Amino acid sequence: MASDDVANLADSLAKTQVDESELSYKGQGLKLDNAQSVEKMVKAIEEFDGLRALRLEGNTIGVEAAQTIAKALQKKSDLQCCHWSDMFTGRLRAEIPPALNSLGDALITAGARLKVLDLSDNAFGPDGVKGIEKLLKSTACHTLQELGRHCCILAAALTVCHKESSALGAPLQLKVFIAGRNRLENDGATALAQAFQLIGSLEEVHMPQNGINHPGVTALATAMQHNPQLRVLNLNDNTFTKRGAIAMAEALKHLRNVQVINFGDCLVRSEGASAIAETLREGLPILKELNLSFGEITEEAALEVARSVQHKDQFEKLDLNGNSLGEEGCENLREVMEKMNMADKLGSLSDDEGEPEEDDDEEEEDDDDDDEDVEEEEEEEEEDEEEEGEGEEEKSELNQFSTPPSAPRTPDVSTFLSFPSPDKLLRLGAKRSFLIQQQVDVSDVSKTVEAFLKISSVYKEDDAEVKSAVLESIDAVLCKAFLTPSFQGLSFMSSLLVMLGLLKSEDKLKPVKVVPGHLQCLEHAVKQSYFPREHITVLNAFMARPNKSLEPCSSARDRLKSTLQKLTPES
């Protein structure tokens, strides 16, 4: 299962060959809150000549303790391996970024050249990722080979790291990526997929139990095709369904070095399993392990999978436990494996779910069809709402007294973008940033600019919930845009400058009425790693000019100008 996979992976990382150059506090359950609590650890670090690996996983480290450890690391230039998973249990989210910043800055100051950075099993979300952003973009990570963590900001930082290291003639050669149980979901998986596609050097990808379903799986499948040395692919306990499984099967046709595939608990279903079996018959010559357990696979598809591994000389284990074979199906599977002299390669079938009822088969098909129908219905609803526009809202107001009282209808993204309000944004729910990111067509520069302005218009500095929702949504849209290779960044900047009234339009476009939120969100965006440095220089030049359209927002304008000046490199 996923937890076992992550634990096994942690053990394998623990065996990194550091000989006597490792200092380990692994799994000691230490609660390290302040400088006093780490006195002995700091002394050990300072006195350890040639320290190459530091293991802090399985303890809980506060801000002051991290800052004190960081001071000791500032002189450890030989450090190569930082095993820092499961390091913030019980800590407030606000504590994590400064703690990571301190440790990261120390590594940069020391001039370390990392090979391993394991921060998996620290479910701290985007704020925590920001804590390692500077480190990931630094030369300390240009030599990175193994990495564990999460999400859009991380993807942007990896992209910057790859570009900068490539410019120095030594492209980032990331080999192992670990992000177990880190709440990636589709937006995080999609953002990381874009970075993986660019990097192209991955040999192991471990992303179990992340709430990823078929859109995210499909994005990852595309990215895997661009990593020809991939050996291990572990996506255990995510939700493929047949569409995700078929996309992954197609991607695997392009790879020759895969040895371990773990799609257990991924609901690949029979059609997905058949597609994977077809890929196995045609390729993956050195495959050793295949896990398709607990995937609602029926007998016929399971037998296809079994027969597809017949001529794999290095094959060691097939796991089809927990599927829907039935007693007779399990026996038939064992017979097939025995006839191929591979009976010892088949794992236990003790948790088989039994033959599905006919209704179950129909339900499986309905589930996948429902997914497609829901998407089509959503698209149709969005088109209808766009056509109806303000007229529909007016009708709603006229009818509100003639209809029975009911709970307010949950708005969709299209409604929010058409008539933005803080309340509508919050009512989109926890996945609002992903939903908005999916809705905005970043191939259309004008739509991307419009989305930015609509979202930022509801920004409230004094409302923490609204502020967070707005900034997360802004990050999701702009991160997707700037990480898309075909995105026209300069056109985006030109259009944005026009809409803010900072640049005259040749098409006589009418600028929006600038509100503080526009400038406050822009100030936030320019400080993120996804925002191109060259665009900051352009924006700074235009903001330096006097402009009447920004006068009503003088405070926000001045803050933005100050930030841009700090970020603009001196000529």
Side-chain angles (χ1 to χ4, degrees):
M1 307 302 288
S3 58
D4 294 332
D5 292 330
V6 175
N8 291 338
L9 186 57
D11 287 340
S12 70
L13 285 176
K15 295 173 184 175
T16 302
Q17 293 182 357
V18 291
D19 300 324
E20 297 179 357
S21 301
E22 175 182 283
L23 181 59
S24 177
Y25 294 89
K26 178 183 177 182
Q28 295 187 18
L30 302 174
K31 191 172 187 296
L32 307 172
D33 295 322
N34 49 40
Q36 186 178 0
S37 66
V38 294
E39 278 183 1
K40 292 182 180 179
M41 181 185 294
V42 167
K43 184 177 180 182
I45 292 172
E46 290 175 341
E47 294 178 352
F48 200 124
D49 292 331
L51 180 65
R52 292 182 181 272
L54 178 61
R55 308 194 69 94
L56 296 176
E57 66 265 55
N59 300 290
T60 176
I61 300 176
V63 176
E64 185 180 336
Q67 291 171 341
T68 308
I69 294 169
K71 289 179 182 177
L73 292 176
Q74 288 178 354
K75 297 180 181 179
K76 298 300 173 181
S77 59
D78 294 329
L79 193 62
Q80 296 179 357
C81 304
C82 296
H83 300 277
W84 295 347
S85 64
D86 190 19
M87 207 168 67
F88 298 106
T89 301
R91 297 291 171 182
L92 297 174
R93 278 195 174 190
E95 293 182 83
I96 299 171
L100 288 172
N101 269 322
S102 298
L103 294 168
D105 286 348
L107 297 175
I108 295 170
T109 300
R113 293 293 183 269
L114 296 181
K115 292 184 177 179
V116 177
L117 177 60
D118 183 8
L119 286 163
S120 59
D121 286 337
N122 288 308
F124 45 61
D127 288 341
V129 179
K130 291 177 182 178
I132 58 167
E133 184 179 356
K134 181 179 177 182
L135 173 62
L136 285 170
K137 292 163 60 179
S138 73
T139 54
C141 287
H142 286 184
T143 51
L144 203 58
Q145 296 177 5
E146 301 185 10
L147 175 66
R149 237 338 302 150
H150 139 88
C151 211
C152 184
I153 297 169
L154 173 56
L158 284 173
T159 301
V160 170
C161 185
H162 182 270
K163 288 181 177 178
E164 291 185 355
S165 60
S166 297
L168 295 173
L172 172 67
Q173 292 293 303
L174 186 63
K175 295 181 179 179
V176 180
F177 182 85
I178 314 158
R181 295 176 291 175
N182 279 312
R183 302 192 303 245
L184 291 178
E185 300 183 341
N186 288 327
D187 49 353
T190 301
L192 286 168
Q194 294 173 335
F196 293 165
Q197 186 168 329
L198 176 67
I199 292 167
S201 59
L202 286 166
E203 296 180 9
E204 296 187 29
V205 174
H206 301 263
M207 298 170 66
Q209 201 175 342
N210 272 295
I212 306 169
N213 57 35
H214 75 84
V217 172
T218 300
L220 289 170
T222 301
M224 293 307 107
Q225 297 179 41
H226 297 269
N227 288 268
Q229 300 307 314
L230 188 70
R231 294 183 294 105
V232 179
L233 182 56
N234 173 12
L235 296 174
N236 187 288
D237 202 2
N238 290 290
T239 307
F240 283 36
T241 64
K242 70 179 183 184
R243 282 188 287 174
I246 290 171
M248 193 60 73
E250 286 298 313
L252 289 170
K253 290 179 180 180
H254 299 270
L255 301 171
R256 302 285 296 174
N257 295 304
V258 176
Q259 298 177 16
V260 177
I261 295 174
N262 186 344
F263 296 160
D265 257 352
C266 284
L267 206 65
V268 299
R269 293 187 169 150
S270 297
E271 195 169 341
S274 295
I276 291 170
E278 180 186 343
T279 296
L280 290 173
R281 285 193 296 271
E282 297 174 1
L284 301 178
I286 60 173
L287 187 69
K288 293 182 178 180
E289 295 182 21
L290 175 63
N291 183 348
L292 295 179
S293 60
F294 299 91
E296 292 190 1
I297 300 169
T298 54
E299 178 187 349
E300 184 179 350
L303 295 178
E304 284 185 62
V305 171
R307 294 185 181 107
S308 70
V309 302
Q310 181 175 7
H311 300 296
K312 308 294 181 192
D313 296 337
Q314 299 181 38
F315 197 76
E316 297 174 1
K317 183 179 180 181
L318 174 63
D319 190 348
L320 287 168
N321 198 15
N323 283 298
S324 304
L325 309 185
E327 190 174 335
E328 186 178 343
C330 288
E331 190 56 38
N332 290 338
L333 177 59
R334 292 189 186 98
E335 287 181 10
V336 166
M337 294 296 286
E338 192 169 340
K339 287 179 181 178
M340 298 188 303
N341 295 319
M342 300 179 74
D344 59 327
K345 314 296 185 188
L346 180 63
S348 170
L349 299 174
S350 60
D351 293 322
D352 187 75
E353 298 286 342
E355 272 189 88
E357 301 291 334
E358 287 186 14
D359 290 345
D360 291 341
D361 289 338
E362 292 174 6
E363 191 176 315
E364 176 182 319
E365 292 175 8
D366 290 344
D367 284 346
D368 283 318
D369 290 341
D370 286 347
D371 287 343
E372 294 172 7
D373 291 342
V374 166
E375 289 181 2
E376 289 174 6
E377 286 173 12
E378 285 176 351
E379 288 174 6
E380 289 172 5
E381 286 176 7
E382 286 160 8
E383 288 173 6
D384 291 342
E385 282 160 1
E386 285 172 6
E387 289 172 5
E388 290 168 7
E390 292 182 9
E392 189 60 37
E393 272 211 350
E394 290 169 5
K395 288 180 187 176
S396 175
E397 290 173 6
L398 290 171
N399 293 334
Q400 65 178 326
F401 300 109
S402 60
T403 56
S406 59
R409 178 174 176 265
T410 302
D412 58 19
V413 175
S414 180
T415 302
F416 165 69
L417 290 176
S418 297
F419 307 98
S421 74
D423 180 59
K424 286 178 187 173
L425 179 63
L426 295 180
R427 283 164 55 202
L428 288 174
K431 294 187 177 181
R432 64 180 71 84
S433 61
F434 169 67
L435 294 173
I436 292 173
Q437 183 192 61
Q438 294 297 99
Q439 173 79 9
V440 177
D441 178 11
V442 297
S443 66
D444 188 323
V445 167
S446 61
K447 288 182 179 178
T448 307
V449 171
E450 182 182 5
F452 171 81
L453 294 171
K454 290 286 183 72
I455 298 166
S456 58
S457 69
V458 304
Y459 180 88
K460 288 186 176 182
E461 183 69 35
D462 57 353
D463 188 323
E465 188 178 10
V466 173
K467 178 179 178 180
S468 176
V470 169
L471 296 182
E472 284 179 7
S473 301
I474 290 293
D475 284 340
V477 171
L478 295 187
C479 185
K480 176 184 177 183
F482 286 119
L483 288 180
T484 299
S486 58
F487 183 66
Q488 298 177 336
L490 287 176
S491 295
F492 170 84
M493 287 304 301
S494 296
S495 182
L496 180 61
L497 291 169
V498 167
M499 297 309 292
L500 291 175
L502 301 175
L503 181 65
K504 288 186 179 180
S505 169
E506 295 179 2
D507 301 322
K508 297 183 179 179
L509 292 175
K510 186 179 179 182
V512 298
K513 180 182 178 182
V514 181
V515 296
H518 291 143
L519 305 183
Q520 289 164 324
C521 288
L522 191 54
E523 183 196 1
H524 165 81
V526 298
K527 293 188 286 188
Q528 307 310 308
S529 59
Y530 59 69
F531 202 95
R533 302 298 95 181
E534 61 269 24
H535 296 349
I536 291 176
T537 304
V538 173
L539 188 56
N540 183 49
F542 278 90
M543 287 297 298
R545 301 175 181 177
N547 194 288
K548 291 183 179 180
S549 68
L550 304 184
E551 287 180 0
C553 313
S554 57
S555 177
R557 176 200 62 195
D558 293 344
R559 280 176 52 188
L560 174 58
K561 288 171 67 174
S562 175
T563 298
L564 289 170
Q565 288 167 4
K566 291 176 183 176
L567 294 173
T568 302
E570 296 181 6
S571 55

